[in-house]
Amino acid sequence: MSNNIPKMKCLIIDDEPLARFHLKEMADQIDFLSVEGTCATALEADSKVKESEIDLLFLDINMPYLTGLEFLEQLENPPLCILTTAYSEYALEGFRLQVVDYLLKPIAFNRFYQAVNKAQQQFIVSEKIKKNSPFEDPFLYVRQSDTFIKVSWVDILYIESMQNYTKLHFKDKSLVIHQTMKAIEESLPSEHFFRIHKSFLINILHIDMISGGRLFINKTELPISRIRKEELLNQVVYKKLISK
């Protein structure tokens, strides 16, 4: 891979043989993924995750003995994870555990591709941080009264302008800070944050879908100005487009 970023070592965990086969077949089409193995239960996967350097899990939720969520929750340093399930009611729990994405079965290749690209972007950021490469400092401090809170820009979903204030949106919280949008935009890495509208600055790592004049991040619908949409498509989307 470019920039000396290694392939992502992934592990497929699903109690259904056909599901394991389907996931492996799709993963084998992606040049930045390396399937290190498949497991029928979370118990079987436990030792592999702890003994091997696994970067990404494809994890089914409903499995015997130990569910995927129970397995993920007990890992001390869990790899990146994409949940796979036939049941949509687990989505909220998955987001609580900060999974990369949540794929509903039957899984279409375009959704699979979208999810693994999101995982790769997060993986690249973590690899660059590990190597101490000349890369933007991933941490920022935000002031809340007399308290200073350390945050990682990777975790910011999007930023909303509120005149002389801005609101930082995360998966599980939001922070309002006394700072203009222009000033905060200048302090964030331009290759990861994109201004889609005068009132919204988004982290491209967290884009779920773009449809018409709207963009969706973590189930939140945001407006895109017509000019900015063209720039976003050209600079971000078309570079990773697999279907014309």
Side-chain angles (χ1 to χ4, degrees), residues 33 41-42 65 79 85-86 126 187 207 211 240:
L33 294 181
T41 67
Y65 309 115
T85 182
S126 66
S187 69
I207 296 172
S211 178
K240 292 186 175 292

Side-chain angles (χ1 to χ4, degrees), residues 95-118:
F95 285 122
R96 181 182 71 79
L97 293 169
Q98 298 190 342
V99 300
V100 174
D101 211 337
Y102 180 96
L103 298 178
L104 276 175
K105 298 176 181 177
I107 301 166
F109 183 77
N110 65 323
R111 268 297 286 126
F112 177 86
Y113 187 71
Q114 181 187 41
V116 297
N117 267 290
K118 196 186 296 185

Side-chain angles (χ1 to χ4, degrees), residues 78-91:
L80 294 170
C81 179
I82 295 172
L83 291 176
T84 62
T85 182
Y87 304 95
S88 60
E89 61 265 28
Y90 292 107

Side-chain angles (χ1 to χ4, degrees), residues 78-207:
L80 294 170
C81 179
I82 295 172
L83 291 176
T84 62
T85 182
Y87 304 95
S88 60
E89 61 265 28
Y90 292 107
L92 195 60
E93 189 71 6
F95 285 122
R96 181 182 71 79
L97 293 169
Q98 298 190 342
V99 300
V100 174
D101 211 337
Y102 180 96
L103 298 178
L104 276 175
K105 298 176 181 177
I107 301 166
F109 183 77
N110 65 323
R111 268 297 286 126
F112 177 86
Y113 187 71
Q114 181 187 41
V116 297
N117 267 290
K118 196 186 296 185
Q120 190 206 23
Q121 291 301 315
Q122 294 187 28
F123 177 68
I124 288 171
V125 169
S126 66
E127 284 296 300
K128 287 184 176 179
I129 292 169
K130 281 181 194 174
K131 293 176 181 178
N132 294 316
S133 56
F135 181 77
E136 314 84 8
D137 188 337
F139 299 110
L140 303 165
Y141 283 89
V142 296
R143 185 170 192 159
Q144 299 282 279
S145 186
D146 60 348
T147 302
F148 296 89
I149 302 172
K150 185 181 183 181
V151 300
S152 168
W153 62 256
V154 178
D155 297 326
I156 299 172
L157 302 180
Y158 64 94
I159 300 164
E160 182 179 359
S161 174
M162 303 167 68
Q163 294 185 336
N164 291 327
Y165 292 83
T166 52
K167 190 173 188 179
L168 311 183
H169 293 266
F170 301 83
K171 281 185 177 177
D172 56 353
K173 64 182 177 183
S174 60
L175 296 171
V176 176
I177 61 175
H178 189 260
Q179 185 66 279
T180 63
M181 178 72 94
K182 184 177 186 298
I184 198 166
E185 185 175 5
E186 289 173 353
S187 69
L188 291 167
S190 59
E191 62 265 44
H192 292 285
F193 284 84
F194 191 93
R195 189 78 166 264
I196 60 168
H197 185 275
K198 65 180 181 179
S199 300
F200 294 100
L201 176 69
I202 61 143
N203 187 338
I204 65 171
L205 297 178
H206 298 289
I207 296 172

